[in-house]
């Protein structure tokens, strides 16, 4: 069983995967069932990996505390740009610019004026969670990343063809919050 210290990482990965998928999807009123399946799959994949790691080591690694940053309400455009650049390192410069443009559009929309503080707060929290998840995955050894990629591929093959295609597009677009080498390993594991 994963320790209570690893549980926050699981919810962080779910949020991170949700955000990555949102970057490339049209706005939707309800959660996409495929997205929810992928998020659940990713949570189970990371959970099983963490359980295996917990059995190997007597203690789970203590996450490095994040540096103190401004409160979301006091962040300006340059603070948000820095947050995106630091948190979404797996995205290309164009993808990060697209993310910032989408955030700016949502924040400047008069229809969202009442929700602006909540939107900003949620975005900042997700960005921090994405950053944490990416760092945790990046710390895995090459062997652990390969094993994770192989388990991912085995589960991927159980998906419906349209779900496989959508997930493959996310991997090819590098829209998932995984380190580049792990993304490449996952793509390689999916090759016939």
């Amino acid at each position: 069983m994963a320790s209570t210290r690893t549980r926050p990482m699981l919810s962080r990965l779910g949020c991170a995967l949700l955000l990555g998928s949102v970057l490339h999807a049209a706005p939707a009123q309800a959660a996409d069932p495929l997205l929810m399946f992928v998020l659940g799959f990713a949570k189970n994949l990371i959970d099983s990996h963490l359980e295996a790691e917990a059995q190997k080591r007597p203690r789970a690694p203590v996450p490095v505390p994040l540096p103190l940053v401004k409160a979301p309400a006091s962040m300006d455009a340059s603070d948000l740009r820095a947050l995106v650049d630091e948190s979404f390192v797996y995205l290309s410069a164009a993808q990060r610019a697209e993310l910032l443009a989408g955030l700016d559009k949502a924040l400047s929309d008069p229809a969202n004026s009442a929700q602006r503080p909540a939107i900003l707060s949620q975005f900042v929290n997700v960005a921090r969670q994405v950053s944490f998840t990416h760092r945790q995955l990046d710390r895995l050894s090459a062997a652990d990343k390969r094993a994770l990629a192989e388990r991912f591929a085995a589960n991927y093959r159980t998906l419906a063809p349209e779900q496989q295609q959508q997930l493959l597009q996310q991997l090819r677009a590098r829209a998932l919050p995984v380190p580049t080498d792990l993304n490449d390993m996952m793509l390689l594991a999916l090759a016939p």
Side-chain angles (χ1 to χ4, degrees):
M1 191 98 203
S3 74
T4 56
R5 290 180 184 163
T6 60
R7 292 288 177 209
M9 179 181 168
L10 301 178
S11 65
R12 287 182 180 107
L13 179 63
C15 289
L17 288 172
L18 174 63
L19 182 64
S21 296
V22 168
L23 291 176
H24 297 284
Q29 302 252 350
D32 179 7
L34 172 63
L35 176 61
M36 299 313 297
F37 176 80
V38 170
L39 291 177
F41 166 74
K43 178 193 174 293
N44 291 338
L45 187 64
I46 295 297
D47 197 21
S48 67
H49 176 75
L50 291 174
E51 286 177 13
E53 284 299 305
Q55 291 173 358
K56 292 179 189 176
R57 297 183 201 127
R59 290 184 179 174
V62 177
V64 176
L66 295 174
L68 293 177
V69 293
K70 287 184 177 182
S74 65
M75 296 181 102
D76 61 19
S78 65
D79 294 326
L80 289 173
R81 187 174 10 269
L83 179 66
V84 166
D85 288 342
E86 293 167 8
S87 299
F88 299 95
V89 296
Y90 60 94
L91 295 176
S92 69
Q95 288 171 318
R96 289 193 304 270
E98 182 182 336
L99 175 60
L100 275 171
L103 177 63
D104 184 53
K105 182 178 178 182
L107 293 175
S108 62
D109 185 346
N112 293 336
S113 63
Q115 293 85 16
R116 188 181 191 285
I119 292 169
L120 190 56
S121 180
Q122 184 172 2
F123 178 80
V124 169
N125 287 333
V126 168
R128 290 175 182 162
Q129 292 170 351
V130 166
S131 178
F132 175 81
T133 300
H134 191 273
R135 282 194 316 269
Q136 291 298 99
L137 289 171
D138 201 33
R139 289 182 181 143
L140 295 175
S141 69
D144 286 340
K145 287 179 183 178
R146 279 190 296 278
L148 190 60
E150 289 302 321
R151 284 196 302 269
F152 167 80
N155 288 312
Y156 170 89
R157 290 182 180 93
T158 66
L159 298 174
E162 62 274 3
Q163 294 170 328
Q164 289 179 348
Q165 184 61 32
Q166 289 178 356
L167 188 54
L168 187 59
Q169 288 173 348
Q170 293 292 314
L171 281 170
R172 287 180 178 154
R174 299 193 182 282
L176 299 178
V178 297
T180 302
D181 61 341
L182 180 54
N183 194 95
D184 292 343
M185 289 176 192
M186 292 165 79
L187 283 170
L188 186 61
L190 296 180

